[in-house]
Each structure stands twice: as C-alpha cells, then as structure tokens.
Amino acid sequence: MSSTNSLNNPLMGLAELASLLKARHVIFSSNEGFTSIAIDSRKVNPGTLFFALDGTTCDGHSFVSSAFKAGAVAAVVDSSKIESFNLENLAKEMGKDLITVDNTMKALQDSAKFYLNKFPRLRKIGITGSSGKTTTKEITAAIIEIEKNVIKNEGNLNSETGLPLSVFNVRAEHEVGVFELGMNRPDEISEITDALKPNIALITNIGSAHIEYFGSKEKIVNEKKCIYKFLNNDDIALVPENDEFAKELADGVNGKIKYYSANNFKEFGGARSLGIEGTEILWNGEKINFALPGKHNLDDAMAAIAIAKEIPVSDKAIKLGLESVKPLFGRLEILKGRVTVIRDCYNANPESTAKSIEFCDSIEWPGRKIYVIADMLELGVMSDSEHKKIGFLLSVSAAKKIFLFGEKIEKAARNLRDNDKPYFYTNDINELSAALDSFIKQGDLVLLKGSRGCALERLTDMLIAREVNSAL
Ligand code: ADP
C-alpha cells in the first residue's frame, strides 16, 4: 500500500517492530527490515510487511501465503490462528518471518504510532468532522505545500486501516503531515488519533453522518472530540465557532483551544459567490479565485486557513494554495456539456444534502434546474424523518422537477405530492436514466446528490456525453 523504499533502506527493522509491539518474532528469513506495509495481498511488493486482518467478509490469514508469494518478507498474524492456518510451517517453507500478536488491527495502529515516532520534527495535523474532511484536508495541503514539504492521506484513506497505511508514506523529507480521520464505529477516532498524535487537530462540523452506529448527535460529539484527546498543552485544538456543539467540543480539551470561522480572521474581507464558477474571497485586501463553489466549501477553506496559520504560512501561500485547488470527484463538481451537471454524489447526509439544495437554489441560472436526489444511507432510526425533511426542502426548492432514486428517499415523495411539486420516483437506475434522458434539454442544470451506495455518477455519461433531446 505505502510507497516502496529500497530493500537496503528499510522503513523499520522486523526485530525492532516486534520488540516495540511486545510480540513474538518467529525468524525463518534473512531479512532484517520491511520497506512497505499492506493489508491486501494484491498490494504486496517485494519487501512488504503483510498485516493479516480479520475482516467482515474474509480473514486475511488465508492470504498470508499469497502475500509471501508476492514478496512479503514477513506477516503480522494473530497468535491464536497460527495453528489453524498452519502459518509457522508456511513461513518456514517459504523462508519468511512471522510477528505474532493478540490483535492484528491494534498491531497495525501501534506500528503506525511507532513508525511516526521516528519523525519527531514532523508537524502532524488531524482533521475530522461529519462533512468536509477530505475537502478540508485537500485545501489545507494545497496551501501548506506552497511553502513546506507535505504528506497527506491519499483519497479518503482515513479509517482504522486507512490512517495507519497512510502514515507509512511519511518520509524524512516531509515537514508537515495532513491527515483526515474518519469513523464508522465507536472508538475508531480515539484509536487512530492515538496512532497519529496530532499537534494540530480540527473538527469541521457535527452532523448526523453515521448516526446509525452512534445513536445521537451528542454521542457523535463525544466520538469526534477524541481527536483532541492526546493533545499536549502546546498543541492546538481548532473548534468550529459556528457549530451548534462548539462549546461541548471545546469542553475539557487539553491544548490551546482556538475557535475558527471566517469572521474570526482579521484578514477576511468577505466572499462573493461566482455561482458554479466558485467563490471570490477577499483576503488581506487581495482577491482570491477559489474554484470550489458553495458556502460549505468556503467553510472548508476557512478551516484549512485556520490550520495553515498555525504552521504558519504566508498570505501569499494562502492565496496561491486556494487558487490551486481543483474540485474533487463528486464534491460539487461542475461538468459542462449540453446540460450542466453539478455532481455532488460522492456522499450524502442530511446536512450536506440540504447544503447542495441550498447552493443550487441560490445560484442564478437562465435554464431549468433539475434535482436528482438519492438515498442518504446509515441514518438508522432517523432515516424516515430526515428523508421527509429533505422532501420538504425539495418541495419549496427552485427545481423545475425532482427525480428521486432509491428505497429510503421515497419518504420525500409525499411532501412533493402534497405541494404539487413535479417529481418522478424510481428505485431502478435504468428507469431513472431513461426518465431523465427524455426530460432534459439543452441549458438545464442537473444536480446529482446521494450517498456513495447510490452511485449517481452512473448517470454522468448519459447527461454529458450523449446528445440530449433539445426539442423538448
Ligand atoms: P467527508 O470527507 O467528510 O466525507 P468530503 O469533503 O468528501 O467530506 O465531502 C463530502 C460531501 O459533503 C460533499 O459532497 C459536500 O456536499 C459535503 N460537504 C463538504 N464540506 C461540507 C461542510 N463544511 N458542511 C456540509 N457539507 C459539506
């Protein structure tokens, strides 16, 4: 997974890691160290240390042999599985090492922690929140890398496994590490924060994303604020000033608490929406052309600036960094063809869906606005009521017609019916595509918003690449 080092220049010694993990080191190879790590045997290179994790769909211990064949020098395995998977014989036959532990997931996270200890001068930034983690991380990195050597997690590799895998990409030349931390289960933020030990920690906002697993927003607050848990007194906790839970987030936090928001920066002179072309930000008297549209992307930019100022960087870096940011896949991406598509379907939760609708309503557009809205997943018992609320927003929105897609979003239909808002509902992507195909015409603006599982980007080619029926 991580980029490879030369075999003569290992990331860490095998014996060194085994000792730090207080693990048993079974030696059958002459290899002293490893040059990358992997949890997926298909991503193993010569020199890799393979971590066998017990996943929900399969057990990584069945892939130790494939990992060894692909060049792994050693595997970190669960000591209770050595016999059942015949691992000691396998390692002996293939001339590989085993590091045996009680819990391979914990070992992966601890290994990341021990690895990071080798870089005491690296400034480590941790970003979490319900929405905007990846966007804020990308903007932060774009600004700081104007003046410093930056490492960041690729894409959204921000989970219990993604964060440790990303950490192993840190090298001696890096000055600042920008990492996003996500959560799909209780304690995940705490565990990966323990591995990262950020010096600067920021929360973007608190919403209802993944509430299915947590039960309430208060529990989400307590989970998210674990990103501040390991701060020392000189470290910085950046708290979103305008979040409804700002006070709770800051309560009992070690480190210097700083509330951030646009209005808290003396350099911020206002922002002007350029519609789908982005936002013009006035910073210290200079105009900055920021290509990401919408108020929430401006919030993410302010979060990124709050972090960058702690490094610190110059105003010039803030300008150049913000101007270099390009839209990310599925986050208010603008695709221009015969119709203009606002592709915001990387993911969806109640807050981000409301923000998308708000943004599309707010922009001036000469043609028709059409909103394609799919399910918001993982909302648990709040699912029906949150989809109904979206139904209300849509019923008073600027859309000419709404297309609803999925099982859960059907709950939004009633509001549309009651308010005589034209809509089409289906749970079949082909039916959705055909209905849209026959409705759209040149000059329309089409919003695509829905959870990852709904993959609304499947409509892009039909909307953009093909000639549309302009006679309608
Ligand atoms: P995350 O990494 O937290 O999932 P992303 O940056 O990938 O967040 O953005 C996912 C979606 O969340 C985007 O499509 C966008 O609509 C929305 N979003 C981004 N930033 C914010 C924000 N500050 N507040 C609300 N929604 C946001």
Side-chain angles (χ1 to χ4, degrees):
M1 188 69 243
S2 33
S3 58
T4 43
N5 248 27
S6 121
L7 279 165
N8 303 327
N9 183 18
L11 298 179
M12 269 182 117
L14 290 167
E16 173 195 7
L17 181 64
S19 145
L20 288 166
L21 291 172
K22 300 193 171 48
R24 191 165 74 99
H25 184 192
V26 188
I27 304 175
F28 295 117
S29 84
S30 56
N31 290 304
E32 292 186 352
F34 60 93
T35 52
S36 63
I37 68 160
I39 57 170
D40 179 337
S41 58
R42 291 163 298 186
K43 302 206 167 141
V44 165
N45 293 309
T48 297
L49 172 62
F50 177 71
F51 285 78
L53 302 180
D54 191 358
T56 41
T57 46
C58 56
D59 189 336
H61 292 83
S62 359
F63 297 98
V64 172
S65 160
S66 322
F68 284 164
K69 277 187 202 133
V73 286
V76 177
V77 298
D78 188 325
S79 29
S80 70
K81 297 196 174 178
I82 296 206
E83 261 185 51
S84 48
F85 286 87
N86 199 19
L87 295 173
E88 208 153 321
N89 283 338
L90 185 72
K92 190 173 185 180
E93 272 166 28
M94 300 182 74
K96 310 286 184 174
D97 285 9
L98 293 177
I99 293 178
T100 78
V101 296
D102 291 340
N103 178 334
T104 51
M105 177 66 81
K106 176 144 189 356
L108 175 67
Q109 291 167 359
D110 286 344
S111 302
K113 173 160 61 180
F114 298 133
Y115 179 66
L116 276 176
N117 285 345
K118 292 178 176 288
F119 307 95
R121 292 217 305 275
L122 182 77
R123 295 290 298 283
K124 292 171 289 180
I125 294 161
I127 299 168
T128 193
S130 296
S131 307
K133 293 179 289 296
T134 304
T135 309
T136 303
K137 177 202 66 186
E138 292 295 330
I139 305 172
T140 304
I143 294 174
I144 300 175
E145 69 197 7
I146 299 290
E147 294 179 349
K148 306 270 179 204
N149 198 333
V150 173
I151 176 82
K152 61 182 180 185
N153 31 13
E154 291 306 324
N156 66 339
L157 270 182
N158 65 14
S159 64
E160 57 186 348
T161 53
L163 192 269
L165 288 168
S166 299
V167 153
F168 273 95
N169 285 330
V170 171
R171 298 289 178 268
E173 65 269 22
H174 294 129
E175 298 170 282
V176 180
V178 187
F179 296 100
E180 58 168 287
L181 288 73
M183 64 178 201
N184 289 302
R185 60 163 176 85
D187 292 332
E188 191 170 358
I189 294 285
S190 178
E191 289 166 20
I192 55 183
T193 304
D194 183 25
L196 180 63
K197 298 260 170 35
N199 314 107
I200 302 170
L202 176 136
I203 294 178
T204 55
N205 48 49
I206 299 296
S208 331
H210 306 306
I211 202 158
E212 181 173 24
Y213 310 124
F214 297 95
S216 70
K217 276 199 180 180
E218 285 67 22
K219 289 201 177 126
I220 294 179
V221 167
N222 286 330
E223 289 291 336
K224 296 274 181 207
K225 70 183 283 189
C226 285
I227 197 163
Y228 302 138
K229 187 165 153 186
F230 300 97
L231 296 178
N232 291 320
N233 291 343
D234 288 340
D235 295 331
I236 311 288
L238 292 166
V239 179
E241 182 172 59
N242 297 326
D243 195 273
E244 87 176 272
F245 294 100
K247 257 212 181 100
E248 289 84 346
L249 286 173
D251 190 36
V253 165
N254 280 335
K256 294 183 194 145
I257 297 167
K258 295 194 179 178
Y259 291 92
Y260 71 90
S261 71
N263 296 330
N264 235 338
F265 295 122
K266 62 179 187 330
E267 299 92 334
F268 181 69
R272 186 167 69 92
S273 168
L274 305 174
I276 60 170
E277 304 301 330
T279 308
E280 184 183 86
I281 301 172
L282 206 58
W283 187 259
N284 221 4
E286 282 235 37
K287 282 183 187 164
I288 297 177
N289 275 317
F290 180 52
L292 309 191
K295 157 103 180 40
H296 57 277
N297 279 321
L298 180 64
D299 290 343
D300 295 347
M302 292 301 139
I305 292 175
I307 296 170
K309 279 170 72 73
E310 295 301 330
I311 294 299
V313 299
S314 66
D315 284 333
K316 182 133 193 257
I318 291 175
K319 178 176 164 64
L320 292 177
L322 287 178
E323 290 191 335
S324 74
V325 173
K326 307 253 180 328
L328 296 168
F329 164 74
R331 284 101 164 166
L332 280 193
E333 242 184 321
I334 311 294
L335 307 165
K336 292 181 188 169
R338 298 285 293 278
V339 301
T340 298
V341 176
I342 299 192
R343 194 160 69 167
D344 200 32
C345 54
Y346 172 72
N347 224 339
N349 57 47
E351 293 77 19
S352 76
T353 304
K355 299 246 178 186
S356 274
I357 296 169
E358 203 181 295
F359 169 68
C360 291
D361 280 356
S362 76
I363 54 177
E364 280 182 34
W365 190 256
R368 303 180 307 176
K369 294 177 179 176
I370 296 160
Y371 299 173
V372 183
I373 308 290
D375 287 352
M376 302 177 293
L377 302 175
E378 300 173 351
L379 293 177
V381 291
M382 291 173 68
S383 181
D384 286 1
S385 61
E386 292 296 339
H387 283 90
K388 280 184 195 156
K389 280 191 212 160
I390 293 300
F392 171 72
L393 286 183
L394 290 170
S395 73
V396 294
S397 74
K400 182 83 180 163
K401 184 162 178 173
I402 317 276
F403 290 78
L404 301 175
F405 170 63
E407 207 178 297
K408 318 257 182 217
I409 196 74
E410 196 182 3
K411 290 278 175 272
R414 182 162 180 183
N415 247 312
L416 301 177
R417 237 181 352 256
D418 292 350
N419 287 288
D420 290 330
K421 188 82 174 171
Y423 79 95
F424 173 84
Y425 167 77
T426 179
N427 196 8
D428 177 330
I429 190 78
N430 296 321
E431 234 177 76
L432 174 65
S433 183
L436 267 169
D437 196 11
S438 63
F439 186 73
I440 54 174
K441 61 182 184 186
Q442 189 159 7
D444 286 344
L445 182 75
V446 181
L447 166 67
L448 301 180
K449 183 70 187 175
S451 274
R452 191 79 302 273
C454 303
L456 282 183
E457 67 274 10
R458 288 177 287 173
L459 299 168
T460 314
D461 285 351
M462 183 278 293
L463 291 169
I464 292 294
R466 262 191 39 206
E467 295 260 314
V468 300
N469 185 352
S470 53
L472 279 172

